[in-house]
Amino acid sequence: MNDMAEQRYLKLTVAYDGTAYHGFQRQANAITVQQVLEERLATIFGHPLKVTGAARTDAGVHAYGQVVGFATSGTIPAANIVRAAKSVLPPDIVVVKAEEVSADFHARFSARSKIYLYRIYNAAVADPFRRNYAWHVTQPLDEAAMDTAVQTVVGTHDFSAFRAAGGPPVSPVRTIYEAGCTREGDMLEFRFWGNGFLYHMVRNLVGTLVDVGLGRLTRDGFTRILAGRDRTRAGITAPPQGLYLKEIFY
């Protein structure tokens, strides 16, 4: 970057199909969304880029509204970035919005809340066209029971029971503003809106809620798992392809 040029700070909203990528965050020996963004966008800004993402989505996870921020000395107007990015990015990564922000904006630390969706394809026979975009569960699921159980996570709780090992050393206390489960035909969708999420928290919640939907666990049993703060008592980690980062609020 030319230090003599005036720096600008940009915020991009990015959608991507995570199927082909080993998550968002750059890795040494695997292709990630961050790497592709940095390498391809550098060609339109005229210098190497280092972007910061709001969420470090895992391999196979998708996003409607990932947010990245970066400093640039490039002069391309924000209004032209969406069109220019389309010409250099692969079709499974799309910049959907670009705007200038102040120097104190941080994609991750400035975020106030996020919405995640999780989709389950609930049918006896697999659908090859949904295999990368939903968790296929063959046994019938009771969405009403799961919706009733998931309401118990609304509010401020210690989510240690749904926290995977390997995440950053942060407080397990999070506030969930809304949560629910709905069905449309064979597709089930969970929605979680909260001020923050622990490593694999949504996938671990869904894995446990599926036990409720299968009749293996009651609503009260789910509530006791939440209160118990013991990951070994909760269900499996739902697979990544059903998870979507929907929106981030600042």
Side-chain angles (χ1 to χ4, degrees):
M1 185 181 297
N2 183 357
D3 292 334
M4 300 300 292
E6 183 178 353
Q7 279 199 356
R8 305 152 63 208
Y9 297 88
L10 292 172
K11 170 191 172 189
L12 306 184
T13 303
V14 182
Y16 51 83
D17 176 342
T19 304
Y21 302 98
H22 290 263
F24 176 81
Q25 191 171 17
R26 183 181 275 272
Q27 298 180 29
N29 301 305
I31 299 295
T32 66
V33 175
Q34 181 181 15
Q35 177 187 341
V36 173
L37 282 171
E38 290 176 346
E39 292 177 354
R40 302 291 182 90
L41 293 179
T43 65
I44 63 175
F45 287 94
H47 61 80
L49 293 179
K50 175 71 163 118
V51 307
T52 299
R56 299 171 179 176
T57 56
D58 289 331
V61 174
H62 314 291
Y64 290 101
Q66 172 72 283
V67 172
V68 303
F70 59 94
T72 179
S73 58
T75 58
I76 180 172
N80 296 346
I81 291 172
V82 169
R83 185 173 69 252
K86 182 180 178 181
S87 70
V88 297
L89 289 171
D92 54 4
I93 302 177
V94 176
V95 175
V96 297
K97 185 178 181 182
E99 53 195 307
E100 293 206 28
V101 290
S102 62
D104 61 357
F105 174 80
H106 192 284
R108 184 153 54 100
F109 299 132
S110 299
R112 308 301 296 173
S113 63
K114 301 173 185 175
I115 294 176
Y116 279 96
L117 307 177
Y118 194 95
R119 292 177 179 148
I120 293 175
Y121 180 55
N122 189 209
V125 179
D127 182 343
F129 302 106
R130 288 191 168 105
R131 73 189 189 283
N132 293 325
Y133 307 105
W135 177 16
H136 179 214
V137 176
T138 58
Q139 297 165 275
L141 292 171
D142 183 343
E143 68 274 9
M146 293 189 294
D147 184 60
T148 299
V150 77
Q151 302 306 320
T152 65
V153 307
V154 174
T156 301
H157 303 281
D158 181 323
F159 284 93
S160 293
F162 304 103
R163 176 185 198 162
V170 295
S171 168
V173 177
R174 292 291 184 271
T175 299
I176 300 298
Y177 305 121
E178 290 180 10
C181 175
T182 57
R183 177 189 286 271
E184 187 171 332
D186 291 330
M187 290 298 296
L188 291 167
E189 182 176 275
F190 290 91
R191 182 177 184 270
F192 298 91
W193 176 27
N195 69 348
F197 295 86
L198 304 170
Y199 186 49
H200 286 178
M201 176 174 154
V202 172
R203 291 166 58 190
N204 291 336
L205 281 166
V206 172
T208 311
L209 288 162
V210 162
D211 285 340
V212 176
L214 293 170
R216 298 171 180 166
L217 185 67
T218 64
R219 175 187 180 277
D220 289 344
F222 178 84
T223 303
R224 285 194 293 272
I225 289 172
L226 173 64
R229 307 176 187 178
D230 182 356
R231 174 70 187 102
T232 64
R233 294 182 59 201
I236 65 168
T237 303
Q241 71 272 15
L243 184 61
Y244 297 76
L245 174 58
K246 178 69 169 111
E247 191 172 358
I248 301 172
F249 301 94
Y250 291 90

